[in-house]
């Protein structure tokens, strides 16, 4: 593809994250246009298409008639596989929101389809583009704490169920609860930060409480129903082939003062701890990200990040990387294999929660 050609993007799904996260990111890029917006809800498609200066479509047959170079799939989890497959088989590049799919089998199939098509399949793990995560990854890969022995990833919300009663909380549509939602990001962080090898054993536990009015994510909308079919809290431990132990704790509603993300790593030469917040919550516990480095047997050193002046910088960086991969015909930094590995671990933790310790 010529570097001077305008890349035409199709938005597949016109929900909250498409409108408030992805669309501003793509509209900020030169040489990129939004050619179409597809959503089965015609009114939502029209609303987003008007903002993007694009054609609104309420059926796949409509959007198939529009010449597109790439699409962004940000629809309910259970639709990711069929939609991404539909476009990849036409040689259309895909940026797919997390999770890649809801099953390991579908994830493997989608990876193979992408490989055979030659199209780019970029996984939407947007938090990899954060400055605090980049700093943490740099320190780990430079050997600052030596070989990583333990990696603990935590994302806990005080009142953050995403629209109770919506597809997020319906098992058949979401594939699970907080573990496949927030857990997708945190499992990816564990794998990305440590370059963890294959897991050898997993132990997971799922819990939930009845949803109450006001327990929902106030940036996503109101309660549709207080009925939850999925877990609101998940915890797990993963033993990897190199001996590293991974621990995860994610929750939508929890007994905490505010929402937060923490990542703790213990290595052979010291430890690193990041305190921050992912997402769009306005009830964060930590006002600024901070990173603590503790050399083995010594006093901790603190690093505080400058204020984040652009709240959408991570989405803009992701959009820019996607466009770069398309123009330069190169594979993305976050691959289909990364998406497959994450969903495999999530499925193993779900399996363990129902059957006990799982050895792989």
């Amino acid at each position: 593809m010529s570097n001077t050609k305008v890349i035409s993007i199709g938005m597949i799904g016109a929900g909250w994250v498409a409108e408030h996260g992805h669309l501003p990111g793509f509209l900020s890029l030169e040489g990129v246009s939004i050619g179409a917006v597809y959503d089965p809800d015609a009114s939502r498609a029209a609303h987003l298409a008007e903002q993007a200066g694009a054609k609104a479509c309420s059926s796949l047959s409509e959007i198939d008639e529009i010449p597109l170079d790439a699409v962004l799939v940000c629809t309910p989890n259970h639709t990711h596989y069929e939609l991404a497959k539909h476009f990849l088989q036409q040689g259309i590049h895909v940026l797919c929101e997390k999770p890649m799919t809801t099953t390991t089998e579908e994830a493997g199939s989608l990876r193979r389809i992408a490989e055979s098509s030659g199209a780019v399949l970029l996984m939407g793990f947007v938090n990899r583009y954060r400055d605090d995560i980049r700093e943490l990854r740099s320190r780990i890969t430079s050997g600052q704490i030596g070989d990583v022995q333990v990696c603990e990833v935590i994302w806990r919300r005080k009142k953050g169920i995403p629209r109770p009663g919506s597809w997020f909380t319906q098992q058949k549509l979401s594939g699970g609860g907080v573990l496949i939602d927030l857990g997708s990001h945190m499992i990816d962080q564990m794998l990305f930060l440590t370059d963890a090898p294959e897991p050898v054993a997993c132990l997971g536990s799922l819990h939930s409480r009845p949803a109450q009015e006001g327990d929902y994510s106030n940036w996503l909308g109101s309660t549709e129903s207080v009925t939850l079919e999925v877990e609101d809290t998940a915890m797990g431990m993963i033993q990897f082939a190199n001996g590293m132990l991974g621990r995860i704790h994610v929750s939508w509603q929890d007994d905490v003062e505010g929402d937060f993300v923490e990542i703790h790593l213990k290595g052979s030469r010291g430890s690193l701890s990041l305190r921050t917040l992912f997402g769009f919550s306005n009830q964060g516990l930590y006002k600024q990200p901070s990173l603590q480095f503790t050399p083995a047997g010594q006093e901790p050193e603190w690093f505080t990040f400058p204020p984040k002046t652009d709240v959408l910088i991570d989405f803009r960086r992701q959009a820019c990387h996607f466009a770069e991969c398309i123009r330069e015909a190169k594979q993305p930094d976050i691959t289909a294999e990364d998406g497959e590995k994450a969903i495999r671990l999530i499925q193993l933790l779900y399996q363990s929660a129902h059957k006990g310790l799982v050895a792989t």
Side-chain angles (χ1 to χ4, degrees):
M1 180 180 296
S2 169
N3 287 346
T4 60
K5 182 183 183 295
V6 173
I7 299 172
S8 180
I9 304 281
M11 305 286 289
I12 311 302
W16 195 95
V17 74
E19 180 177 1
H20 298 281
H22 293 290
L23 183 60
F26 281 104
L27 290 180
S28 69
L29 300 181
E30 293 185 7
V32 174
S33 69
I34 307 300
V37 176
Y38 160 74
D39 196 288
D41 185 328
S43 62
R44 292 207 311 184
H47 172 72
L48 201 61
E50 183 178 3
Q51 296 183 51
K55 178 177 173 56
C57 304
S58 56
S59 69
L60 283 178
S61 59
E62 283 184 86
I63 200 168
D64 282 342
E65 295 176 359
I66 301 171
L68 296 173
D69 298 300
V71 296
L72 166 61
V73 174
C74 43
T75 53
N77 296 348
H78 75 292
T79 67
H80 288 184
Y81 174 69
E82 291 296 342
L83 286 170
K85 174 183 175 182
H86 177 82
F87 291 102
L88 287 170
Q89 288 179 332
Q90 300 177 58
I92 295 173
H93 309 289
V94 173
L95 195 171
C96 183
E97 257 293 352
K98 62 79 195 168
M100 182 177 183
T101 58
T102 58
T103 71
T104 306
E105 293 74 22
E106 286 184 344
S109 173
L110 202 58
R111 172 183 53 78
R112 292 187 292 272
I113 291 169
E115 290 170 351
S116 63
S117 73
V120 172
L121 174 54
L122 171 63
M123 276 307 306
F125 292 128
V126 68
N127 293 303
R128 287 207 200 180
Y129 301 92
R130 296 175 56 94
D131 287 331
D132 48 11
I133 292 300
R134 289 180 168 185
E135 176 71 20
L136 184 56
R137 164 77 176 175
S138 175
R139 288 173 181 247
I140 295 167
T141 57
S142 71
Q144 187 174 58
I145 62 171
D147 296 330
V148 178
Q149 299 168 341
V150 179
C151 176
E152 183 175 20
V153 293
I154 303 165
W155 187 349
R156 299 170 71 184
R157 289 177 176 170
K158 183 177 183 179
K159 293 184 177 181
I161 302 172
R163 292 201 312 276
S166 71
W167 69 264
F168 281 100
T169 62
Q170 296 180 48
Q171 178 67 37
K172 288 184 178 180
L173 305 184
S174 62
V178 69
L179 180 56
I180 202 169
D181 181 35
L182 306 188
S184 288
H185 286 297
M186 302 316 293
I187 288 291
D188 177 66
Q189 287 297 320
M190 182 185 294
L191 298 175
F192 168 61
L193 291 170
T194 66
D195 293 319
E198 287 294 299
V200 295
C202 291
L203 182 63
S205 180
L206 309 176
H207 307 279
S208 62
R209 293 173 173 175
Q212 306 292 330
E213 287 291 337
D215 287 340
Y216 58 85
S217 301
N218 54 11
W219 61 95
L220 279 177
S222 61
T223 302
E224 297 181 21
S225 165
V226 293
T227 300
L228 300 184
E229 299 177 2
V230 295
E231 80 284 352
D232 64 33
T233 300
M235 289 171 276
M237 301 178 69
I238 306 158
Q239 185 78 44
F240 292 93
N242 64 351
M244 189 189 87
L245 179 67
R247 296 194 296 230
I248 182 171
H249 183 173
V250 287
S251 56
W252 279 337
Q253 58 171 347
D254 214 334
D255 301 322
V256 291
E257 294 181 21
D259 301 354
F260 66 90
V261 165
E262 292 183 358
I263 299 175
H264 305 289
L265 300 114
K266 178 181 181 294
S268 56
R269 296 169 54 188
S271 62
L272 286 163
S273 290
L274 175 67
R275 295 171 174 85
T276 188
L277 178 63
F278 292 171
F280 294 91
S281 171
N282 57 6
Q283 50 191 9
L285 184 62
Y286 305 129
K287 303 309 176 186
Q288 285 294 124
S290 63
L291 182 62
Q292 176 184 295
F293 167 53
T294 307
Q298 300 181 40
E299 293 300 310
E301 304 169 7
W302 287 91
F303 177 81
T304 302
F305 294 84
K308 193 174 183 180
T309 57
D310 182 357
V311 296
L312 292 178
I313 186 62
D314 317 317
F315 281 93
R316 298 186 204 282
R317 286 170 175 167
Q318 178 177 249
C320 184
H321 179 60
F322 188 45
E324 180 183 85
C325 290
I326 294 170
R327 286 201 174 95
E328 299 180 10
K330 69 177 187 179
Q331 285 302 302
D333 293 339
I334 308 175
T335 66
E337 186 178 5
D338 292 329
E340 183 181 2
K341 286 180 178 178
I343 196 62
R344 182 188 177 212
L345 268 181
I346 288 167
Q347 290 299 307
L348 287 171
L349 288 168
Y350 274 128
Q351 182 182 348
S352 170
H354 297 295
K355 297 183 178 180
L357 181 67
V358 173
T360 63

